[in-house]
Amino acid sequence: MAHISGWRTSSRSQGQGQCVEVGFGADHVGVRDTKNRGAGRIEVASQLWKDFVGGVKNGRFDQD
């Protein structure tokens, strides 16, 4: 596992703990559940994360 730090949640979660957290490492991004931080997390290469976020912003995953 890569060293991931700086975990943060979406500002839209309003502190209710029903969100995911994203943390950043040297070349990986981690995603984990705010309710169960000690459980598994996923890690993806930084470029794949950038591609995913770009796709969300551009509506690539929107359903008609």
Side-chain angles (χ1 to χ4, degrees):
M1 284 190 147
H3 176 71
I4 306 290
S5 62
W7 292 95
R8 62 184 190 195
T9 60
S10 169
S11 60
R12 295 179 186 239
S13 67
Q14 300 175 342
Q16 296 179 13
Q18 298 181 14
C19 198
V20 295
E21 294 178 323
V22 178
F24 298 90
D27 57 358
H28 283 81
V29 174
V31 181
R32 67 184 182 187
D33 184 352
T34 56
K35 287 185 176 182
N36 196 358
R37 293 180 177 131
R41 68 182 188 203
I42 61 168
E43 293 180 11
V44 296
S46 296
Q47 186 59 51
L48 291 175
W49 181 256
K50 290 176 187 176
D51 293 345
F52 169 71
V53 171
V56 171
K57 288 180 179 180
N58 292 325
R60 185 182 318 160
F61 308 108
D62 294 351
Q63 295 183 9
D64 296 329

